[in-house]
Amino acid sequence: MVTRGFTGRRPASEVADRIPPGQSLTADFPVLSAGPTPRVSLEDWSFTLKVGPRPVKRWTWEAFNALPQTSVTRDIHCVTKWSKLDTPWQGVLVDDLLTDAGIEPPTPFTLAHSFDGYATNVPVADLVGGRAMVATHYDGRPLTPDHGGPARLLVPHLYFWKSAKWINGLQFTERDEPGFWELRGYHIYGDPWREQRFSGD
Amino acid sequence: MDAAADAGRPVPWQEAVIERIAQQTARVRSLFLRPQHWRPFTPGQHLDIRLTAPDGYQAQRSYSVASAPAEEGVYELVVERLDDGEVSPYFHDVAEAGDAIEIRGPFGGHFAWQASDGGPLLLVGGGSGVAPLLSILRHRALAAPDVPALLLYAARGWDDLIARDELLRRDEAEAGFDLVLALSRDRPRRPQDAGRRVDAAMLGDALARLGGPPRLTFVCGANPFVEAVTAPLLDLGLDPATIRTERFGG
Ligand SMILES: Cc1cc2nc3c(=O)[nH]c(=O)nc-3n(C[C@H](O)[C@H](O)[C@H](O)COP(=O)(O)OP(=O)(O)OC[C@H]3O[C@@H](n4cnc5c(N)ncnc54)[C@H](O)[C@@H]3O)c2cc1C
């Protein structure tokens, strides 16, 4: 259905094929959060790897930062309709977390947990093979609290609510268990290229 | 909740006719949309809208529903004009009553309030961020008038206040509702209002006026506004789990 009088503002053709359907390019870095920005001190920070209810490894901030560091530059896509290209991140690949813990993924699914009680589900296949990291730096600087600092998950190929802010753990689960937004009508997987915004899309 | 009831069922795009447009302020207008199939919603939820150019290019945006669910058949959207924006200027400069656009939703299951959630309610809105709070207030007046509610509403000036007359009238007429205005570039007109940005002192006064800790707090506006409001609310001792935020961008 053509909207009378709407011409729109198209992205430059050289980047157009990097913008998923229904998304618009932004130069800003908008923020999506369900609640207030939690206050997480580095002394209290820790990251726990769990298999079901059982913790298998826990890192303090110091130990976490001693793990191998990786830098990536990726395009990101928020379900609130903005996309941002070439965002530079640094952190620890999920692969390197598993290596340090000395485990292979024991189940096909995970829930990422956050300090504010937020959780989001991501299949293991979307986390390993260099596809995801726990990011501590953005654009060369420590991640600011409103963008998820001290550390957030980064799964850039899924809608950005999957990149849980203020992350404090990753839990392997037997089943694909919906997290916070997934229980509130958002899509269980969230592929921006298939425009999986809401449950049923 | 709506979201749970809808789980798994696709929500299709549909056509909605702009039935009426009302200029709210110099930079804000209300659009009253009449969709083919009106869906019930929970106050606080938003619609997705989609505009299509002649060559098939499309732009999508989200806008909060400002009307109450009791106004069956229509959705009111409150759109602020961002001069360098792609979509909001269309609604200001081009769209007319009788035009049709595509919509989908309403969506959103967290920034939402229904009567059974109860109160007291603290609502804090900045600029067009008042839109979903209007829906909550309008619904409250009909469905749960005994729930105490306070709206702290920040705007540049007296003439930038969206739904100003309605809010002032509700403040007079509704026993459980209090309106406090924070005008950053104007003088306050009423003793309870302030001629400055929202700050910790103002939020403390609002909590005292509510007469008890809010069961739920809803904060909506641009991200810097939401941060500037929620940080002092945490300092004032509010439980973060009771604070829900909606950030419009910027
Ligand atoms: C859930 C949700 C509900 C929303 N509800 C409303 C509503 O009720 N009323 C309303 O007017 N808008 C609302 N918005 C914002 C709306 O979706 C658009 O982002 C806004 O209208 C700008 O679109 P645009 O195409 O005109 O500007 P764009 O071309 O998309 O953006 C122009 C620039 O302005 C920035 N920007 C976007 N929004 C704002 C803002 N509010 N203040 C300052 N800068 C901004 C963008 O990041 C961009 O850099 C809502 C957003 C979300 C996610």
Side-chain angles (χ1 to χ4, degrees), chain B residues 30-54:
Chain B
S30 280
L31 294 110
F32 297 84
L33 304 180
R34 185 170 290 277
Q36 280 165 336
H37 305 286
W38 186 87
R39 297 163 59 93
F41 65 99
T42 308
Q45 290 189 305
H46 67 269
L47 279 184
D48 281 359
I49 67 99
R50 180 164 81 179
L51 308 180
T52 305

PDB file of all heavy atoms in Angstrom, chain B residues 30-54:
ATOM      1  N   SER B  30      -1.813  15.254  17.542  1.00  0.00           N
ATOM      2  CA  SER B  30      -2.446  13.959  17.792  1.00  0.00           C
ATOM      3  C   SER B  30      -3.079  13.482  16.505  1.00  0.00           C
ATOM      4  O   SER B  30      -3.756  14.245  15.808  1.00  0.00           O
ATOM      5  CB  SER B  30      -3.543  14.095  18.856  1.00  0.00           C
ATOM      6  OG  SER B  30      -2.985  14.113  20.140  1.00  0.00           O
ATOM      7  N   LEU B  31      -2.858  12.188  16.200  1.00  0.00           N
ATOM      8  CA  LEU B  31      -3.525  11.566  15.063  1.00  0.00           C
ATOM      9  C   LEU B  31      -4.475  10.517  15.594  1.00  0.00           C
ATOM     10  O   LEU B  31      -4.078   9.690  16.415  1.00  0.00           O
ATOM     11  CB  LEU B  31      -2.490  10.897  14.156  1.00  0.00           C
ATOM     12  CG  LEU B  31      -1.545  11.884  13.492  1.00  0.00           C
ATOM     13  CD1 LEU B  31      -0.157  11.746  14.065  1.00  0.00           C
ATOM     14  CD2 LEU B  31      -1.530  11.667  12.004  1.00  0.00           C
ATOM     15  N   PHE B  32      -5.700  10.576  15.148  1.00  0.00           N
ATOM     16  CA  PHE B  32      -6.691   9.593  15.569  1.00  0.00           C
ATOM     17  C   PHE B  32      -6.870   8.604  14.430  1.00  0.00           C
ATOM     18  O   PHE B  32      -7.334   8.980  13.350  1.00  0.00           O
ATOM     19  CB  PHE B  32      -8.002  10.283  15.940  1.00  0.00           C
ATOM     20  CG  PHE B  32      -7.843  11.212  17.120  1.00  0.00           C
ATOM     21  CD1 PHE B  32      -7.395  12.512  16.954  1.00  0.00           C
ATOM     22  CD2 PHE B  32      -8.116  10.767  18.406  1.00  0.00           C
ATOM     23  CE1 PHE B  32      -7.217  13.365  18.038  1.00  0.00           C
ATOM     24  CE2 PHE B  32      -7.948  11.607  19.504  1.00  0.00           C
ATOM     25  CZ  PHE B  32      -7.503  12.912  19.318  1.00  0.00           C
ATOM     26  N   LEU B  33      -6.435   7.353  14.673  1.00  0.00           N
ATOM     27  CA  LEU B  33      -6.427   6.334  13.629  1.00  0.00           C
ATOM     28  C   LEU B  33      -7.591   5.388  13.823  1.00  0.00           C
ATOM     29  O   LEU B  33      -7.850   4.932  14.931  1.00  0.00           O
ATOM     30  CB  LEU B  33      -5.132   5.517  13.689  1.00  0.00           C
ATOM     31  CG  LEU B  33      -3.825   6.276  13.596  1.00  0.00           C
ATOM     32  CD1 LEU B  33      -2.658   5.292  13.681  1.00  0.00           C
ATOM     33  CD2 LEU B  33      -3.751   7.068  12.301  1.00  0.00           C
ATOM     34  N   ARG B  34      -8.276   5.087  12.718  1.00  0.00           N
ATOM     35  CA  ARG B  34      -9.341   4.075  12.781  1.00  0.00           C
ATOM     36  C   ARG B  34      -8.922   2.888  11.914  1.00  0.00           C
ATOM     37  O   ARG B  34      -8.955   2.975  10.693  1.00  0.00           O
ATOM     38  CB  ARG B  34     -10.669   4.669  12.302  1.00  0.00           C
ATOM     39  CG  ARG B  34     -11.846   3.700  12.450  1.00  0.00           C
ATOM     40  CD  ARG B  34     -13.186   4.377  12.199  1.00  0.00           C
ATOM     41  NE  ARG B  34     -13.554   5.304  13.259  1.00  0.00           N
ATOM     42  CZ  ARG B  34     -14.146   4.946  14.402  1.00  0.00           C
ATOM     43  NH1 ARG B  34     -14.424   3.689  14.647  1.00  0.00           N
ATOM     44  NH2 ARG B  34     -14.452   5.863  15.304  1.00  0.00           N
ATOM     45  N   PRO B  35      -8.476   1.786  12.561  1.00  0.00           N
ATOM     46  CA  PRO B  35      -8.035   0.614  11.796  1.00  0.00           C
ATOM     47  C   PRO B  35      -9.226  -0.223  11.347  1.00  0.00           C
ATOM     48  O   PRO B  35     -10.329  -0.084  11.877  1.00  0.00           O
ATOM     49  CB  PRO B  35      -7.189  -0.163  12.796  1.00  0.00           C
ATOM     50  CG  PRO B  35      -7.778   0.186  14.123  1.00  0.00           C
ATOM     51  CD  PRO B  35      -8.320   1.597  14.003  1.00  0.00           C
ATOM     52  N   GLN B  36      -8.954  -1.101  10.373  1.00  0.00           N
ATOM     53  CA  GLN B  36     -10.003  -2.028   9.951  1.00  0.00           C
ATOM     54  C   GLN B  36     -10.412  -2.931  11.108  1.00  0.00           C
ATOM     55  O   GLN B  36     -11.591  -3.171  11.334  1.00  0.00           O
ATOM     56  CB  GLN B  36      -9.494  -2.883   8.779  1.00  0.00           C
ATOM     57  CG  GLN B  36      -9.557  -2.139   7.474  1.00  0.00           C
ATOM     58  CD  GLN B  36      -8.741  -2.826   6.396  1.00  0.00           C
ATOM     59  OE1 GLN B  36      -7.806  -3.576   6.687  1.00  0.00           O
ATOM     60  NE2 GLN B  36      -9.087  -2.582   5.155  1.00  0.00           N
ATOM     61  N   HIS B  37      -9.420  -3.450  11.815  1.00  0.00           N
ATOM     62  CA  HIS B  37      -9.697  -4.347  12.948  1.00  0.00           C
ATOM     63  C   HIS B  37      -9.024  -3.782  14.184  1.00  0.00           C
ATOM     64  O   HIS B  37      -7.820  -3.935  14.358  1.00  0.00           O
ATOM     65  CB  HIS B  37      -9.189  -5.759  12.663  1.00  0.00           C
ATOM     66  CG  HIS B  37      -9.729  -6.326  11.397  1.00  0.00           C
ATOM     67  ND1 HIS B  37     -11.032  -6.769  11.293  1.00  0.00           N
ATOM     68  CD2 HIS B  37      -9.170  -6.485  10.184  1.00  0.00           C
ATOM     69  CE1 HIS B  37     -11.236  -7.179  10.057  1.00  0.00           C
ATOM     70  NE2 HIS B  37     -10.136  -7.019   9.363  1.00  0.00           N
ATOM     71  N   TRP B  38      -9.832  -3.160  15.026  1.00  0.00           N
ATOM     72  CA  TRP B  38      -9.282  -2.576  16.244  1.00  0.00           C
ATOM     73  C   TRP B  38      -9.012  -3.691  17.252  1.00  0.00           C
ATOM     74  O   TRP B  38      -9.888  -4.531  17.484  1.00  0.00           O
ATOM     75  CB  TRP B  38     -10.291  -1.578  16.806  1.00  0.00           C
ATOM     76  CG  TRP B  38      -9.800  -0.794  17.979  1.00  0.00           C
ATOM     77  CD1 TRP B  38      -9.097   0.369  17.940  1.00  0.00           C
ATOM     78  CD2 TRP B  38     -10.011  -1.101  19.360  1.00  0.00           C
ATOM     79  NE1 TRP B  38      -8.840   0.799  19.207  1.00  0.00           N
ATOM     80  CE2 TRP B  38      -9.393  -0.077  20.105  1.00  0.00           C
ATOM     81  CE3 TRP B  38     -10.659  -2.132  20.056  1.00  0.00           C
ATOM     82  CZ2 TRP B  38      -9.394  -0.056  21.502  1.00  0.00           C
ATOM     83  CZ3 TRP B  38     -10.658  -2.120  21.438  1.00  0.00           C
ATOM     84  CH2 TRP B  38     -10.035  -1.091  22.156  1.00  0.00           C
ATOM     85  N   ARG B  39      -7.829  -3.703  17.814  1.00  0.00           N
ATOM     86  CA  ARG B  39      -7.500  -4.713  18.818  1.00  0.00           C
ATOM     87  C   ARG B  39      -7.461  -4.058  20.182  1.00  0.00           C
ATOM     88  O   ARG B  39      -6.918  -2.965  20.334  1.00  0.00           O
ATOM     89  CB  ARG B  39      -6.125  -5.324  18.533  1.00  0.00           C
ATOM     90  CG  ARG B  39      -6.014  -6.065  17.217  1.00  0.00           C
ATOM     91  CD  ARG B  39      -4.560  -6.257  16.841  1.00  0.00           C
ATOM     92  NE  ARG B  39      -3.833  -6.994  17.861  1.00  0.00           N
ATOM     93  CZ  ARG B  39      -3.676  -8.322  17.842  1.00  0.00           C
ATOM     94  NH1 ARG B  39      -4.150  -9.031  16.847  1.00  0.00           N
ATOM     95  NH2 ARG B  39      -3.013  -8.941  18.806  1.00  0.00           N
ATOM     96  N   PRO B  40      -7.998  -4.743  21.208  1.00  0.00           N
ATOM     97  CA  PRO B  40      -7.886  -4.202  22.565  1.00  0.00           C
ATOM     98  C   PRO B  40      -6.416  -4.148  22.978  1.00  0.00           C
ATOM     99  O   PRO B  40      -5.576  -4.831  22.394  1.00  0.00           O
ATOM    100  CB  PRO B  40      -8.646  -5.205  23.432  1.00  0.00           C
ATOM    101  CG  PRO B  40      -9.133  -6.276  22.551  1.00  0.00           C
ATOM    102  CD  PRO B  40      -8.630  -6.060  21.168  1.00  0.00           C
ATOM    103  N   PHE B  41      -6.105  -3.323  23.965  1.00  0.00           N
ATOM    104  CA  PHE B  41      -4.704  -3.185  24.373  1.00  0.00           C
ATOM    105  C   PHE B  41      -4.632  -2.808  25.840  1.00  0.00           C
ATOM    106  O   PHE B  41      -5.646  -2.514  26.472  1.00  0.00           O
ATOM    107  CB  PHE B  41      -4.001  -2.131  23.504  1.00  0.00           C
ATOM    108  CG  PHE B  41      -4.550  -0.737  23.686  1.00  0.00           C
ATOM    109  CD1 PHE B  41      -3.908   0.170  24.513  1.00  0.00           C
ATOM    110  CD2 PHE B  41      -5.711  -0.338  23.052  1.00  0.00           C
ATOM    111  CE1 PHE B  41      -4.410   1.458  24.696  1.00  0.00           C
ATOM    112  CE2 PHE B  41      -6.235   0.939  23.231  1.00  0.00           C
ATOM    113  CZ  PHE B  41      -5.566   1.830  24.053  1.00  0.00           C
ATOM    114  N   THR B  42      -3.421  -2.846  26.356  1.00  0.00           N
ATOM    115  CA  THR B  42      -3.167  -2.426  27.723  1.00  0.00           C
ATOM    116  C   THR B  42      -2.505  -1.053  27.666  1.00  0.00           C
ATOM    117  O   THR B  42      -1.565  -0.855  26.897  1.00  0.00           O
ATOM    118  CB  THR B  42      -2.231  -3.440  28.418  1.00  0.00           C
ATOM    119  OG1 THR B  42      -2.778  -4.746  28.247  1.00  0.00           O
ATOM    120  CG2 THR B  42      -2.107  -3.149  29.895  1.00  0.00           C
ATOM    121  N   PRO B  43      -3.003  -0.080  28.465  1.00  0.00           N
ATOM    122  CA  PRO B  43      -2.416   1.258  28.434  1.00  0.00           C
ATOM    123  C   PRO B  43      -0.904   1.195  28.658  1.00  0.00           C
ATOM    124  O   PRO B  43      -0.437   0.489  29.555  1.00  0.00           O
ATOM    125  CB  PRO B  43      -3.111   1.974  29.585  1.00  0.00           C
ATOM    126  CG  PRO B  43      -4.426   1.279  29.716  1.00  0.00           C
ATOM    127  CD  PRO B  43      -4.154  -0.159  29.382  1.00  0.00           C
ATOM    128  N   GLY B  44      -0.154   1.937  27.833  1.00  0.00           N
ATOM    129  CA  GLY B  44       1.305   1.899  27.882  1.00  0.00           C
ATOM    130  C   GLY B  44       1.879   1.250  26.635  1.00  0.00           C
ATOM    131  O   GLY B  44       3.032   1.490  26.289  1.00  0.00           O
ATOM    132  N   GLN B  45       1.083   0.434  25.955  1.00  0.00           N
ATOM    133  CA  GLN B  45       1.583  -0.255  24.761  1.00  0.00           C
ATOM    134  C   GLN B  45       1.727   0.702  23.572  1.00  0.00           C
ATOM    135  O   GLN B  45       1.205   1.818  23.599  1.00  0.00           O
ATOM    136  CB  GLN B  45       0.635  -1.397  24.382  1.00  0.00           C
ATOM    137  CG  GLN B  45       0.678  -2.555  25.378  1.00  0.00           C
ATOM    138  CD  GLN B  45      -0.097  -3.756  24.866  1.00  0.00           C
ATOM    139  OE1 GLN B  45      -1.273  -3.653  24.534  1.00  0.00           O
ATOM    140  NE2 GLN B  45       0.568  -4.892  24.803  1.00  0.00           N
ATOM    141  N   HIS B  46       2.443   0.237  22.550  1.00  0.00           N
ATOM    142  CA  HIS B  46       2.662   1.075  21.371  1.00  0.00           C
ATOM    143  C   HIS B  46       2.204   0.364  20.105  1.00  0.00           C
ATOM    144  O   HIS B  46       2.051  -0.852  20.075  1.00  0.00           O
ATOM    145  CB  HIS B  46       4.141   1.438  21.244  1.00  0.00           C
ATOM    146  CG  HIS B  46       5.025   0.266  20.931  1.00  0.00           C
ATOM    147  ND1 HIS B  46       5.632  -0.499  21.898  1.00  0.00           N
ATOM    148  CD2 HIS B  46       5.392  -0.280  19.754  1.00  0.00           C
ATOM    149  CE1 HIS B  46       6.331  -1.459  21.328  1.00  0.00           C
ATOM    150  NE2 HIS B  46       6.214  -1.360  20.023  1.00  0.00           N
ATOM    151  N   LEU B  47       1.994   1.168  19.069  1.00  0.00           N
ATOM    152  CA  LEU B  47       1.701   0.646  17.732  1.00  0.00           C
ATOM    153  C   LEU B  47       2.960   0.763  16.890  1.00  0.00           C
ATOM    154  O   LEU B  47       3.742   1.692  17.060  1.00  0.00           O
ATOM    155  CB  LEU B  47       0.647   1.517  17.027  1.00  0.00           C
ATOM    156  CG  LEU B  47      -0.826   1.359  17.307  1.00  0.00           C
ATOM    157  CD1 LEU B  47      -1.582   2.305  16.377  1.00  0.00           C
ATOM    158  CD2 LEU B  47      -1.293  -0.076  17.088  1.00  0.00           C
ATOM    159  N   ASP B  48       3.135  -0.147  15.955  1.00  0.00           N
ATOM    160  CA  ASP B  48       4.122   0.049  14.906  1.00  0.00           C
ATOM    161  C   ASP B  48       3.391   0.621  13.699  1.00  0.00           C
ATOM    162  O   ASP B  48       2.275   0.202  13.390  1.00  0.00           O
ATOM    163  CB  ASP B  48       4.792  -1.275  14.530  1.00  0.00           C
ATOM    164  CG  ASP B  48       5.872  -1.664  15.534  1.00  0.00           C
ATOM    165  OD1 ASP B  48       6.100  -0.894  16.483  1.00  0.00           O
ATOM    166  OD2 ASP B  48       6.473  -2.736  15.360  1.00  0.00           O
ATOM    167  N   ILE B  49       4.003   1.587  13.039  1.00  0.00           N
ATOM    168  CA  ILE B  49       3.401   2.151  11.832  1.00  0.00           C
ATOM    169  C   ILE B  49       4.375   1.963  10.678  1.00  0.00           C
ATOM    170  O   ILE B  49       5.588   1.872  10.869  1.00  0.00           O
ATOM    171  CB  ILE B  49       3.020   3.643  12.002  1.00  0.00           C
ATOM    172  CG1 ILE B  49       4.274   4.500  12.161  1.00  0.00           C
ATOM    173  CG2 ILE B  49       2.099   3.866  13.192  1.00  0.00           C
ATOM    174  CD1 ILE B  49       4.673   5.165  10.885  1.00  0.00           C
ATOM    175  N   ARG B  50       3.833   1.877   9.478  1.00  0.00           N
ATOM    176  CA  ARG B  50       4.668   1.657   8.293  1.00  0.00           C
ATOM    177  C   ARG B  50       4.199   2.560   7.166  1.00  0.00           C
ATOM    178  O   ARG B  50       3.000   2.627   6.864  1.00  0.00           O
ATOM    179  CB  ARG B  50       4.552   0.194   7.884  1.00  0.00           C
ATOM    180  CG  ARG B  50       5.360  -0.173   6.667  1.00  0.00           C
ATOM    181  CD  ARG B  50       5.523  -1.670   6.554  1.00  0.00           C
ATOM    182  NE  ARG B  50       4.347  -2.307   5.970  1.00  0.00           N
ATOM    183  CZ  ARG B  50       4.248  -3.620   5.744  1.00  0.00           C
ATOM    184  NH1 ARG B  50       5.226  -4.434   6.102  1.00  0.00           N
ATOM    185  NH2 ARG B  50       3.174  -4.120   5.199  1.00  0.00           N
ATOM    186  N   LEU B  51       5.144   3.274   6.572  1.00  0.00           N
ATOM    187  CA  LEU B  51       4.853   4.148   5.437  1.00  0.00           C
ATOM    188  C   LEU B  51       5.571   3.599   4.212  1.00  0.00           C
ATOM    189  O   LEU B  51       6.701   3.113   4.316  1.00  0.00           O
ATOM    190  CB  LEU B  51       5.334   5.576   5.715  1.00  0.00           C
ATOM    191  CG  LEU B  51       4.875   6.211   7.036  1.00  0.00           C
ATOM    192  CD1 LEU B  51       5.443   7.618   7.167  1.00  0.00           C
ATOM    193  CD2 LEU B  51       3.354   6.243   7.141  1.00  0.00           C
ATOM    194  N   THR B  52       4.932   3.666   3.064  1.00  0.00           N
ATOM    195  CA  THR B  52       5.494   3.085   1.840  1.00  0.00           C
ATOM    196  C   THR B  52       5.569   4.147   0.748  1.00  0.00           C
ATOM    197  O   THR B  52       4.573   4.814   0.451  1.00  0.00           O
ATOM    198  CB  THR B  52       4.613   1.910   1.352  1.00  0.00           C
ATOM    199  OG1 THR B  52       4.469   0.973   2.428  1.00  0.00           O
ATOM    200  CG2 THR B  52       5.238   1.206   0.159  1.00  0.00           C
ATOM    201  N   ALA B  53       6.760   4.289   0.160  1.00  0.00           N
ATOM    202  CA  ALA B  53       6.962   5.225  -0.943  1.00  0.00           C
ATOM    203  C   ALA B  53       6.533   4.554  -2.257  1.00  0.00           C
ATOM    204  O   ALA B  53       6.403   3.333  -2.313  1.00  0.00           O
ATOM    205  CB  ALA B  53       8.429   5.640  -1.004  1.00  0.00           C
ATOM    206  N   PRO B  54       6.327   5.349  -3.313  1.00  0.00           N
ATOM    207  CA  PRO B  54       5.854   4.784  -4.589  1.00  0.00           C
ATOM    208  C   PRO B  54       6.768   3.676  -5.126  1.00  0.00           C
ATOM    209  O   PRO B  54       6.297   2.737  -5.761  1.00  0.00           O
ATOM    210  CB  PRO B  54       5.853   5.987  -5.543  1.00  0.00           C
ATOM    211  CG  PRO B  54       5.689   7.174  -4.648  1.00  0.00           C
ATOM    212  CD  PRO B  54       6.387   6.820  -3.361  1.00  0.00           C
TER     213      PRO B  54
END
